[in-house]
Amino acid sequence: MNPTIAKERIEALTRQLNNYNKAYFQEAKSLVSDFEYDKLLASLEKLEKAFPMYRLADSPTQRVGEQSSTNFPTVKHLYRMRSLSNTYEEKEIKQFVQRIKNRLPDEKIDFLCEIKADGVALSLTYVNNRLTQIITRGDGTKGDDITINTPLLRNVPLVLKSDQVFKEVTIHGEAAMPKAMFKALNNSYEAAGKPLLANPRNATAGMLRTKKIAEALKKKQPLTFTPYRLCAVGDAVTATQKAALQRLQAWGFDVPPTYQYCKDIVAIMQYIHHWEQAKHHLPIMVDGIVIKLNNLALQAQIGATAKVPRGMIAYKYKPDQAATILKEVTYQVGRTGVVTPVAILAPVALAGTTVKRASLYNAKAIAMLDLQIGDRVFIEKGGDIIPKVTGVDQQQRKAGQKPIKFVTHCPACNSLLVQESEDALRYCPNTLSCPPQLKGRILHFVQRKALNITTIGNKTIDLFFEKGLLRQPADLFDLTATQIAPLEGFQKKSIDNLLQGIEAAKKTPFSHVLFGLGIRHVGFTIAEKLATHFGNIDDLMAASEETLCATPEVGAKIAHSLITYFKHPTYRAEIARLREVGLSFVQAKPTIADDLPLTGKVFVVSGVFKSYSREEIRDYIQKKGGKVVGQLSSNVDFLLTGTKPGPQKVTKAKALAIAIITEEALEKMTKKKKGLSSLLLGMHLI
């Protein structure tokens, strides 16, 4: 390569990667996939090796992470947190094993393989067996002291379970958000009109970087912590990585039973191939496998480079990715008016499905990708769930293509879009007559957490809207069999079911009705807090901004949204109509203790259930006084199983002598006042 071109390329890659690092480490945003980032970093490393004179002082190849954020004090690590050498190629794992054998020709070489959680690396310090400090990885030598956020890591023991008292212990591990929690969080964001999170890792990083943890805790959004390194244990010696994990488990840490002793490369490759598919069944995201020299003394003997330890390597699974052509960009209008760009793609197979559309998130994402119609684009599934565009094949771009310009007017009603700040989302302010917003409000109103009218869905709302039968949620209660009968697809039984579902919704509690109104920024948890705090709609509508801000978890943005909503004559008239048909706008008294038979009991849920979705059965347990957690530990009372429960969960529950119960057993426990004690007398492991 020409030296001048190499110099320019090195400078461009350094700027690009540093921008990605800043967004990820300081703003908890992923602007590019791991796979694309690693490819760019590998290109930079190759160029710097060939032209070392052009390497910049701030090159990301010389750093573990990025500077700490400004929200927390920066402190030094007692034990450096190094990055890992990683690869996507199996042949490089074989080369890694051979290098270790060459360095240690006279030693017995064996390995321990562990799954690589896709989260945020943390360092925990215990003094006299008590947790005293939690630090983020930062740049590897120093990080943020986030000890204040300890309650978010509910499976981290505050005191080590050991008869021996250790003066000081340091443990490294990974904090991660369970996939189910990530899905629930994005559902709540969507309901409140907020932009969706890209993946569980971003959500974890964002949660750990805030000092306001009350909302996360009250929304029951704890993170999990998986330890992977025991750095120091006073005078005690741990000979192997396997023994270190066993000791951590004995101390009370949740060490997943997914690690495996591997005596040679054959066993390592079998482990890698197994978890490439099995990782999809784990509760957290896994992006690869870490292979470690099992003997810790030998690990120390071969040491480390300036950046990575020589005794371990990460094999990263390639994301489910495909390349296709970007045919056009359309724009969707959500319930709250937010306008979201959507990529329309030439159909392509990805992870077992045919993908024709993918999220582009917002205008900033389009600009960062430098998208043009006709581009050959790369797509993958974010968090194994949402298809998204992650990159552009610039070499395939043809002359004459033009950059995409975000629309300035609503694609549904042509209203001029509003933007609160330069980086903010664009939204349509025409809340009263923009069709997608009107239909979105009705769909929100009938959803499970609102009025739970299961007999009405998207297609029915679209049809009724087209025929002029629905414009506002209150119109649902004016529907008659005579109006519906002429419509295609409706027979007497389906009409009766629909109307019965609407009638039954009149018994919905106030907090659910309040959530169902679809007030901007008022999610389900906030609606519950407002209903409890004010007790009725009249006091809530009369409250000043100052009074609203005194409500737990309500800030200025939510207060302003509430006041704006309740001042609007259309919405006040809507509330009046809903009152007339019999909906409750008064908070019911708390349930008496006798109706909470599961009080004090902790459950883990696994499998598929007959009468409930996973989320519904969690809600059922919580409404009956129980608590649902994501991981098994000695603090759990029951493992509730449906069909196809996680086999590792069942095995671990038996090992911990945790009662394993079925859906039917749960219902018996809750339907009889003394059902729980009766069941416990005859409980056995199944």
Side-chain angles (χ1 to χ4, degrees):
M1 180 181 288
N2 182 289
T4 301
I5 295 176
K7 182 175 183 293
E8 292 175 352
R9 182 61 176 154
I10 287 172
E11 291 174 350
L13 282 171
T14 299
R15 284 195 302 271
Q16 186 178 7
L17 289 166
N18 281 340
N19 284 336
Y20 290 153
N21 282 342
K22 181 180 178 182
Y24 175 68
F25 287 100
Q26 296 186 47
E27 301 170 17
K29 297 178 181 177
S30 288
L31 302 180
V32 66
S33 71
D34 281 2
F35 185 60
E36 290 299 317
Y37 179 93
D38 289 338
K39 285 201 302 184
L40 292 172
L41 186 63
S43 296
L44 180 58
E45 287 174 336
K46 185 176 180 180
L47 283 169
E48 289 179 345
K49 186 175 181 179
F51 300 93
M53 73 289 289
Y54 297 140
R55 187 176 69 196
L56 301 178
D58 63 344
S59 172
T61 64
Q62 305 304 301
R63 310 178 74 168
V64 172
E66 184 52 70
Q67 66 187 46
S68 300
S69 69
T70 57
N71 290 339
F72 298 90
T74 300
V75 294
K76 287 187 177 181
H77 287 294
L78 293 173
Y79 297 87
R80 184 170 178 179
M81 299 189 74
R82 296 182 185 274
S83 182
L84 281 179
S85 173
N86 66 67
T87 180
Y88 293 88
E89 303 295 333
E90 292 185 8
K91 66 179 181 179
E92 294 188 11
I93 298 299
K94 296 174 183 177
Q95 292 167 0
F96 160 76
V97 171
Q98 190 58 50
R99 283 197 303 272
I100 290 182
K101 289 182 177 179
N102 292 342
R103 286 181 176 273
L104 302 167
D106 300 324
E107 301 289 349
K108 178 188 175 183
I109 304 300
D110 54 8
F111 301 89
L112 196 78
C113 291
E114 303 170 39
I115 59 170
K116 184 178 180 294
D118 190 14
V120 177
L122 300 176
S123 175
L124 278 56
T125 298
Y126 288 79
V127 175
N128 296 326
N129 288 19
R130 293 186 176 275
L131 180 64
T132 59
Q133 193 173 56
I134 301 178
I135 310 171
T136 62
R137 183 175 71 172
D139 65 2
T141 59
K142 59 184 181 301
D144 295 334
D145 185 339
I146 61 164
T147 311
I148 189 175
N149 283 341
T150 298
L152 288 175
L153 302 164
R154 289 189 178 169
N155 69 334
V156 168
L158 300 180
V159 180
L160 299 179
K161 296 179 180 179
S162 174
D163 294 333
Q164 183 179 355
V165 177
F166 302 105
K167 184 177 180 181
E168 187 175 86
V169 175
T170 299
I171 296 159
H172 292 169
E174 198 88 357
M177 177 178 287
K179 287 185 278 191
M181 190 61 67
F182 172 72
K183 184 178 180 181
L185 186 61
N186 257 350
N187 287 343
S188 69
Y189 273 37
E190 184 176 26
K194 298 179 181 179
L196 301 184
L197 296 161
N199 52 58
R201 180 179 59 188
N202 275 28
T204 301
M207 194 175 291
L208 289 173
R209 281 174 167 77
T210 177
K211 289 184 177 180
K212 298 178 180 179
I213 64 169
E215 182 176 353
L217 292 175
K218 290 173 182 176
K219 285 183 178 179
K220 299 179 181 177
Q221 292 169 352
L223 306 174
T224 64
F225 179 80
T226 304
Y228 56 69
R229 182 187 179 198
L230 181 53
C231 301
V233 191
D235 297 329
V237 176
T238 304
T240 65
Q241 175 66 8
K242 182 178 181 180
L245 294 180
Q246 290 172 337
R247 172 175 266 183
L248 287 166
Q249 185 170 18
W251 284 348
F253 284 93
D254 283 339
V255 178
T258 50
Y259 64 86
Q260 181 176 310
Y261 171 81
C262 295
K263 65 178 181 178
D264 54 28
I265 187 63
V266 174
I268 291 172
M269 299 315 300
Q270 288 175 344
Y271 184 87
I272 286 174
H273 295 156
H274 169 76
W275 285 108
E276 186 168 13
Q277 295 303 320
K279 66 185 174 72
H280 296 297
H281 303 295
L282 293 172
I284 60 175
M285 289 296 297
V286 169
D287 63 353
I289 298 300
V290 181
I291 302 101
K292 301 178 180 179
L293 187 57
N294 190 37
N295 188 306
L296 297 180
L298 295 181
Q299 267 194 37
Q301 182 178 327
I302 62 175
T305 67
K307 188 178 178 183
V308 300
R310 294 191 179 96
M312 59 187 73
I313 190 172
Y315 176 85
K316 299 186 76 173
Y317 294 117
K318 293 178 182 178
D320 291 323
Q321 189 181 70
T324 187
I325 302 300
L326 175 63
K327 297 171 66 176
E328 63 174 309
V329 173
T330 61
Y331 297 85
Q332 291 182 338
V333 184
R335 172 182 63 84
T336 61
V338 172
V339 177
T340 304
V342 178
I344 305 301
L345 308 164
V348 63
L350 177 64
T353 62
T354 299
V355 176
K356 301 177 183 179
R357 299 154 62 89
S359 174
L360 290 173
Y361 296 107
N362 51 43
K364 186 176 181 180
I366 292 175
M368 286 293 299
L369 290 166
D370 184 28
L371 279 178
Q372 297 182 9
I373 301 298
D375 274 340
R376 183 173 183 267
V377 296
F378 302 106
I379 58 170
E380 64 181 61
K381 288 195 173 182
D384 276 356
I385 303 166
I386 309 168
K388 62 179 180 179
V389 177
T390 60
V392 177
D393 188 346
Q394 298 282 356
Q395 295 180 347
Q396 298 292 323
R397 180 167 286 174
K398 300 175 182 178
Q401 292 182 199
K402 295 181 180 180
I404 296 166
K405 292 185 178 180
F406 204 94
V407 292
T408 57
H409 290 71
C410 176
C413 69
N414 205 37
S415 298
L416 182 66
L417 300 183
V418 175
Q419 188 177 7
E420 294 174 347
S421 65
E422 185 178 347
D423 291 333
L425 300 171
R426 276 93 159 163
Y427 66 92
C428 172
N430 183 18
T431 58
L432 298 181
S433 57
C434 181
Q437 293 189 60
L438 295 177
K439 289 190 282 187
R441 284 185 60 218
I442 297 169
L443 184 63
H444 176 78
F445 187 76
V446 302
Q447 70 156 286
R448 187 183 61 80
K449 285 191 174 183
L451 271 75
N452 194 27
I453 306 177
T454 58
T455 51
I456 296 179
N458 257 317
K459 291 183 179 179
T460 302
I461 291 172
D462 286 342
L463 177 61
F464 287 4
F465 192 90
E466 178 189 339
K467 299 300 181 182
L469 300 179
L470 288 181
R471 283 296 181 273
Q472 298 176 342
D475 294 339
L476 288 164
F477 299 94
D478 293 336
L479 291 172
T480 65
T482 303
Q483 291 174 314
I484 301 172
L487 302 180
E488 184 179 354
F490 284 93
Q491 303 298 325
K492 184 179 185 304
K493 185 175 181 180
S494 59
I495 294 172
D496 289 344
N497 289 339
L498 188 149
L499 295 177
Q500 287 170 11
I502 293 172
E503 185 65 26
K506 293 179 181 180
K507 299 177 182 179
T508 303
F510 173 37
S511 59
H512 290 253
V513 175
L514 180 59
F515 170 66
L517 294 178
I519 304 170
R520 198 174 182 210
H521 303 309
V522 178
F524 182 71
T525 300
I526 295 298
E528 284 187 316
K529 300 301 176 187
L530 290 167
T532 301
H533 187 80
F534 289 95
N536 62 77
I537 194 70
D538 294 309
D539 288 348
L540 176 59
M541 289 195 295
S544 65
E545 185 169 346
E546 183 180 1
T547 302
L548 288 167
C549 287
T551 307
E553 302 181 42
V554 174
K557 182 187 289 187
I558 296 173
H560 177 73
S561 180
L562 286 162
I563 288 174
T564 302
Y565 182 91
F566 289 131
K567 277 184 177 179
H568 204 293
T570 299
Y571 298 137
R572 294 183 74 91
E574 175 83 359
I575 291 170
R577 287 183 64 196
L578 293 173
R579 269 179 156 168
E580 287 177 7
V581 299
L583 262 63
S584 174
F585 285 93
V586 177
Q587 181 74 346
K589 294 181 179 180
T591 309
I592 59 174
D594 281 350
D595 291 333
L596 301 174
L598 303 182
T599 299
K601 300 301 176 184
V602 181
F603 292 76
V604 168
V605 177
S606 182
V608 179
F609 299 92
K610 299 175 185 176
S611 305
Y612 306 88
S613 68
R614 188 79 70 90
E615 190 173 348
E616 287 170 343
I617 208 160
R618 287 194 183 100
D619 285 348
Y620 181 79
I621 291 170
Q622 290 164 358
K623 286 176 181 177
K624 295 296 183 179
K627 178 181 177 182
V628 181
V629 298
Q631 299 293 326
L632 288 164
S633 69
S634 57
N635 296 323
V636 172
D637 298 293
F638 300 102
L639 172 62
L640 175 62
T641 60
T643 58
K644 298 182 181 179
Q648 293 169 348
K649 276 193 169 68
V650 173
T651 300
K652 187 171 181 179
K654 290 179 178 178
L656 294 173
I658 293 171
I660 304 174
I661 64 170
T662 62
E663 180 179 347
E664 292 75 17
L666 176 71
E667 290 178 338
K668 289 180 181 178
M669 291 163 63
T670 54
K671 286 181 178 178
K672 296 181 180 179
K673 187 174 178 181
K674 295 183 180 180
L676 178 59
S677 58
S678 301
L679 187 66
L680 287 174
L681 289 174
M683 184 61 67
H684 63 281
L685 297 178
I686 61 174

